[in-house]
Amino acid sequence: MAAGGRASGRPAKKKGPSKGTGGQGRRGLEGRGSTPPAEMRHWFKDKARSERVAREERGGQRPGPARQRRSEDAPEYIGGRNPVLEALVAGVPANALYVAQRIESDDRVRDAIKVATERGIALLESTREKLDRLTEGAVHQGIVLQIPAYDYAHPSELVELAQDAAEVPLIIALDGVTDPRNLGAIARSATAFGAHGMLIPSRRSAGVTGGAWKTSAGTLANLRVARAANLTAALREYRDAGLFVIGLDGEGSADIGDVDLLGEPLVIVVGSEGKGLSRLVREHCDVVARIPMRAAAESLNAGVAAGVALYEVARHRRR
């Protein structure tokens, strides 16, 4: 006998099966269904709005999955009040202007709507969630401009533009420049210093995207961009047509201002900031030139380097 127990003197009665609930517990759970997703709960919209406001105040982007590659004919989007207004005033081609519901309007928003109306661009009211999707989480301040996919020129068209203007050809080519902001900055310099166009490769290169339009401040509307399936083949065709190719590289053999070819028909090739010119492109250059600078600065980014080189060419040709 276990400690603390008490004998009754009678044998223990065998316990039979216990009586069930008759399914009443299961019936009590019926009708509740599965747990609703977060976006269906009452607190979700307030939480999403708070996160969006905080993100716009920080000037950052929404964390999320890696950006998916757009198709060749997909439209691009420019977000932000200043960039959108600048693009509209500069005549950037556009399909539609999206404006957030209940937006806090200011002069930039009103002017953007006015210019879009005058240009016959469709005005569409949209939710902020949709604008977030269109801009892939970038800060848009409640206004987004949709621009059509860029219509690239053939490389030979850039030479024809110079010939039609009775000018000495000047083309800027990009080798491995993958940041659209650099492309936009180079477009500004190319337009300012009289280049007849820009050449980019089809692969491993930035294209004329919304980010490039934004950085170019509308100058891409006045500069033709050509795209080549093979950059070295395009450079070879330019050389066969009588153009000289100058590559920019920190280890070049001459300073850009001392190159004798600046008054000739030219293609200036700008490499990426990290890797510089690729081996094949370097082999197709008539001259590889450097931009002289102090040792404290190891290199210039592609946009600045292109601006310096184009200025030197323009200065030489004004003599």
Side-chain angles (χ1 to χ4, degrees):
M1 184 172 65
R6 185 174 181 180
S8 63
R10 295 193 299 269
K13 185 177 180 181
K14 186 177 179 181
K15 186 176 181 181
S18 60
K19 186 177 181 181
T21 63
Q24 294 180 9
R26 286 195 301 271
R27 286 197 295 271
L29 295 175
E30 289 179 356
R32 299 188 182 183
S34 59
T35 302
E39 60 269 19
M40 294 181 63
R41 303 188 186 189
H42 67 89
W43 46 263
F44 180 78
K45 289 186 177 180
D46 291 338
K47 182 175 182 291
R49 182 180 183 280
S50 299
E51 290 177 351
R52 188 191 69 247
V53 171
R55 186 172 63 253
E56 293 195 357
E57 289 177 349
R58 291 194 305 268
Q61 292 189 349
R62 167 188 297 175
R67 175 177 176 173
Q68 297 180 349
R69 184 177 178 85
R70 291 179 181 271
S71 63
E72 293 289 331
D73 57 352
E76 291 284 342
Y77 298 91
I78 300 175
R81 301 187 181 194
N82 284 333
V84 166
L85 179 58
E86 290 171 359
L88 287 168
V89 172
V92 172
N95 296 330
L97 178 65
Y98 292 85
V99 181
Q101 297 169 347
R102 298 184 298 276
I103 186 174
E104 294 182 5
S105 182
D106 61 11
D107 289 342
R108 295 168 296 177
V109 173
R110 287 188 288 270
D111 289 345
I113 293 174
K114 179 182 178 182
V115 175
T117 302
E118 292 172 349
R119 290 182 51 187
I121 298 171
L123 296 176
L124 302 174
E125 188 178 42
S126 177
T127 64
R128 285 188 175 268
E129 287 74 15
K130 180 175 181 178
L131 299 185
D132 288 340
R133 291 196 302 272
L134 294 178
T135 59
E136 298 180 332
V139 176
H140 51 71
Q141 299 175 302
I143 187 167
V144 173
L145 185 68
Q146 183 193 75
I147 59 178
Y150 189 79
D151 182 21
Y152 292 97
H154 187 275
S156 62
E157 292 182 42
L158 305 185
V159 180
E160 294 171 1
L161 286 173
Q163 293 172 344
D164 292 343
E167 297 174 348
V168 180
L170 174 59
I171 298 168
I172 187 84
L174 309 187
D175 177 25
V177 176
T178 58
D179 189 340
R181 294 171 296 183
N182 272 335
L183 188 151
I186 293 170
R188 294 183 72 172
S189 296
T191 304
F193 297 118
H196 298 100
M198 180 187 299
L199 174 67
I200 63 174
S202 299
R203 300 176 59 192
R204 293 185 291 276
S205 174
V208 183
T209 64
W213 276 108
K214 183 175 179 178
T215 310
S216 78
T219 54
L220 277 167
N222 302 307
L223 182 75
R224 288 297 282 142
V225 179
R227 189 163 58 177
N230 187 304
L231 181 59
T232 55
L235 294 177
R236 185 165 55 246
E237 291 175 2
Y238 279 146
R239 294 179 72 184
D240 292 342
L243 280 72
F244 294 92
V245 179
I246 297 177
L248 292 182
D249 194 281
E251 299 179 358
S253 58
D255 291 350
I256 184 64
D258 297 333
V259 175
D260 295 332
L261 300 174
L262 300 187
E264 303 294 331
L266 281 185
V267 181
I268 297 178
V269 187
V270 181
S272 65
E273 183 177 354
K275 298 180 180 179
L277 297 175
S278 63
R279 178 182 60 83
L280 289 175
V281 168
R282 180 185 289 267
E283 292 175 356
H284 284 76
C285 292
D286 294 289
V287 177
V288 177
R290 62 178 178 266
I291 296 174
M293 54 188 175
R294 296 186 178 183
E298 294 183 0
S299 65
L300 300 174
N301 72 22
V304 175
V308 172
L310 289 165
Y311 167 75
E312 285 292 343
V313 174
R315 185 174 68 88
H316 182 89
R317 293 184 176 186
R318 284 198 303 266
R319 293 175 181 174

